[in-house]
């Protein structure tokens, strides 16, 4: 199948990298974002593919201004737009920007973020070596003190953890505004969900990518200024929606091959996970484990909502007495290292003896 955007009889050499930018009312950040495209030190052929999704502000004028500047330095600019009064959503806008582009590789960029000059060059080098992978990078958060735990997590995951920590509430282990992948692989995975507001389109694409055997790599340089602000589309996705996708993915990828397991956390999060599991997977839970003496002394958790009679009672024990494998529902990086010390003490292997679902 010919991917859209290929072979439109376009003159000149084939484009190596298309920078994919969805835009919706982005006038306050767009100048800085597009200037960062202009400042790339990549020596290959590059184009900018923008899709303006029903912006009502001055975004269109800023795009036109940068189109002239970018074309002066040999970067072609493709502009698509939805001119109705209603935006179609970020999944749709990203797909449109990809379809109208023609690069062999795709470099995703959000309109409120800023690339470092070496981003395209360094990610392109890695992508060539790993054609079926999503390549990310380290980021700098703006403002600096927003989401400190999340930023540390993004920047410090090991290569193994990029594949094992895919079930946590943080979402994709390389964040979407840093994604770089081949066009061919993007269409093999099959585009972003276009459900619009409230759909975690990046998480769904990332899960589909992993299901199809895709790899995940990160360039260990800070190549993106990643802005945090309350208007971000991220905030419109419901917590419950993401939770359900994560549970299903955990069941498919991990629990389907386990015959029994322990949930690490006899509190709210652990019980919530238990209640969210399919009946078949609930039966595999042999215990909850914890450090809280009160919960351990109580001895068990009764699943009150169960239709079964007698109602299932799941033992609660101290983590040192518990049997792996574990699904861990304790948040990382919050207990001043106490939890991490306890986990290290057990000498377990992440991705085999335990997975984080925090």
């Amino acid at each position: 199948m010919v991917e859209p955007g290929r072979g439109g009889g376009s003159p000149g050499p084939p484009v190596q990298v298309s920078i994919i930018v969805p835009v919706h009312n982005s006038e306050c950040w767009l100048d800085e974002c597009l200037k960062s495209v202009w400042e790339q030190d990549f020596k290959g052929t590059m184009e900018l593919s923008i899709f303006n999704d029903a912006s009502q502000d001055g975004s269109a004028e800023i795009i036109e201004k940068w189109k002239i500047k970018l074309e002066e330095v040999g970067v072609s600019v493709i502009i698509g737009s939805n001119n109705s009064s209603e935006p179609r959503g970020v999944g749709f806008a990203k797909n449109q920007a990809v379809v109208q582009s023609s690069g062999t590789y795709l470099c995703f960029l959000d309109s409120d973020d800023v690339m470092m000059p070496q981003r395209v060059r360094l990610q392109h080098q890695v992508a060539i070596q790993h054609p079926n992978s999503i390549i990310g990078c380290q980021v700098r958060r703006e403002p600096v003190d927003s989401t400190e735990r999340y930023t540390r997590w993004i920047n410090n995951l090991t290569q193994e953890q990029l594949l094992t920590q895919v079930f946590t509430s943080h979402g994709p282990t390389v964040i979407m505004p840093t994604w770089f992948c081949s066009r061919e692989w993007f269409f093999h995975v099959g585009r972003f969900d276009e459900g619009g507001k409230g759909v975690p389109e990046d998480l769904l694409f990332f899960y589909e990518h992993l299901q199809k055997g895709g790899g995940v790599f990160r360039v260990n340089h800070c190549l993106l200024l990643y802005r945090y602000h309350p208007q971000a589309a991220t905030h419109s996705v419901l917590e419950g929606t993401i939770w359900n996708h994560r549970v299903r993915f955990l069941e498919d990828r991990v629990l389907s091959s386990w015959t029994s397991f322990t949930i690490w956390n006899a509190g709210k999060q652990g019980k919530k996970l238990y209640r969210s599991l399919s009946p078949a997977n609930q039966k595999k839970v042999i215990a909850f484990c914890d450090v809280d003496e009160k919960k351990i002394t109580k001895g068990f958790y009764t699943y009150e909502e169960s239709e079964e009679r007698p109602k299932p009672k799941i033992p609660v024990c101290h983590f040192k007495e518990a049997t792996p494998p574990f699904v861990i529902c304790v948040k990382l990086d919050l207990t001043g290292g106490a939890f991490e010390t306890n986990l290290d003490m057990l000498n377990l292997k992440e991705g085999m003896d335990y997975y984080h679902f925090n």
Side-chain angles (χ1 to χ4, degrees):
M1 166 189 131
V2 173
E3 289 92 36
R6 275 291 171 85
S10 53
V15 175
Q16 286 167 293
V17 178
S18 297
I19 297 175
I20 303 299
V21 185
V23 170
H24 174 67
N25 292 344
S26 314
E27 67 178 0
C28 22
W29 310 286
L30 201 49
D31 250 326
E32 218 182 328
C33 170
L34 298 182
K35 180 170 186 253
S36 78
V37 175
W38 185 71
E39 288 175 339
Q40 290 304 297
D41 64 14
F42 179 61
K43 294 287 180 268
T45 50
M46 198 167 75
E47 71 178 8
L48 169 65
S49 178
I50 288 196
F51 189 82
N52 184 357
D53 188 19
S55 294
Q56 304 291 330
D57 63 357
S59 294
E61 291 72 25
I62 296 169
I63 294 166
E64 288 302 332
K65 176 183 81 179
W66 279 102
K67 178 174 163 61
I68 297 164
K69 291 188 176 188
L70 285 160
E71 289 184 339
E72 280 170 0
V73 295
V75 177
S76 56
V77 179
I78 300 118
I79 305 166
S81 58
N82 159 22
N83 298 322
S84 74
S85 57
E86 282 301 308
R88 293 279 303 272
V90 69
F92 175 80
K94 281 188 282 218
N95 286 339
Q96 290 301 120
V98 171
V99 166
Q100 70 190 15
S101 74
S102 62
T104 308
Y105 291 91
L106 307 172
C107 173
F108 290 90
L109 174 63
D110 281 355
S111 58
D112 50 354
D113 295 333
V114 180
M115 298 192 284
M116 303 302 136
Q118 66 277 39
R119 179 183 171 191
V120 170
R121 174 170 56 84
L122 294 181
Q123 287 189 304
H124 181 253
Q125 283 169 6
V126 177
I128 289 170
Q129 320 270 294
H130 304 284
N132 299 350
S133 295
I134 291 177
I135 316 299
C137 65
Q138 292 173 320
V139 302
R140 192 170 94 236
R141 205 52 155 145
E142 175 78 35
V144 173
D145 55 357
S146 56
T147 68
E148 288 176 84
R149 273 177 64 238
Y150 180 47
T151 308
R152 261 199 303 278
W153 181 80
I154 293 166
N155 288 337
N156 296 315
L157 289 169
T158 65
Q159 178 54 46
E160 290 77 35
Q161 287 171 332
L162 293 176
L163 291 171
T164 56
Q165 293 204 11
V166 296
F167 308 103
T168 78
S169 56
H170 286 325
T173 48
V174 288
I175 60 164
M176 208 290 307
T178 70
W179 286 3
F180 194 107
C181 67
S182 84
R183 170 185 214 85
E184 193 180 340
W185 182 255
F186 176 84
F187 283 102
H188 176 68
V189 175
R191 311 192 188 198
F192 290 105
D193 186 297
E194 297 187 356
K197 210 175 163 82
V199 173
E201 80 294 328
D202 55 341
L203 185 71
L204 296 179
F205 185 94
F206 189 68
Y207 281 173
E208 190 58 32
H209 159 80
L210 293 170
Q211 293 284 35
K212 292 197 163 156
V216 184
F217 291 89
R218 187 185 67 220
V219 173
N220 288 323
H221 292 279
C222 170
L223 302 179
L224 189 79
L225 178 74
Y226 177 42
R227 256 189 248 272
Y228 176 82
H229 49 89
Q231 298 97 295
T234 325
H235 304 306
S236 71
V237 179
L238 294 170
E239 203 56 48
T241 308
I242 291 186
W243 174 275
N244 294 334
H245 288 303
R246 286 168 51 215
V247 173
R248 298 291 86 84
F249 195 58
L250 178 76
E251 291 188 315
D252 281 355
R253 299 273 295 186
V254 177
L255 304 185
S256 58
S257 60
W258 284 0
T259 50
S260 66
F261 64 97
T262 300
I263 295 176
W264 189 319
N265 183 349
K268 218 162 72 181
Q269 290 292 304
K271 291 171 184 169
K272 182 182 175 186
L273 173 63
Y274 174 83
R275 291 194 303 269
S276 305
L277 296 171
S278 69
N281 284 318
Q282 285 178 345
K283 287 192 168 58
K284 297 179 185 177
V285 178
I286 47 172
F288 289 91
C289 72
D290 212 295
V291 287
D292 182 341
E293 289 305 332
K294 228 163 63 185
K295 294 188 182 97
I296 296 164
T297 310
K298 195 175 169 204
F300 53 82
Y301 161 66
T302 307
Y303 180 32
E304 294 294 353
E305 295 85 351
S306 176
E307 306 287 301
E308 283 184 45
R309 294 293 176 271
K311 292 176 181 174
K313 284 187 167 186
I314 296 91
V316 178
C317 63
H318 191 275
F319 76 89
K320 286 183 190 166
E321 269 75 71
T323 311
F326 297 99
V327 175
I328 299 178
C329 297
V330 180
K331 287 185 175 170
L332 289 167
D333 197 11
L334 263 190
T335 53
F339 164 71
E340 286 79 357
T341 306
N342 289 341
L343 182 58
D344 286 347
M345 180 193 298
L346 300 180
N347 289 319
L348 302 171
K349 184 165 169 50
E350 185 169 4
M352 200 162 79
D353 303 313
Y354 69 91
Y355 282 91
H356 285 288
F357 187 83
N358 41 354

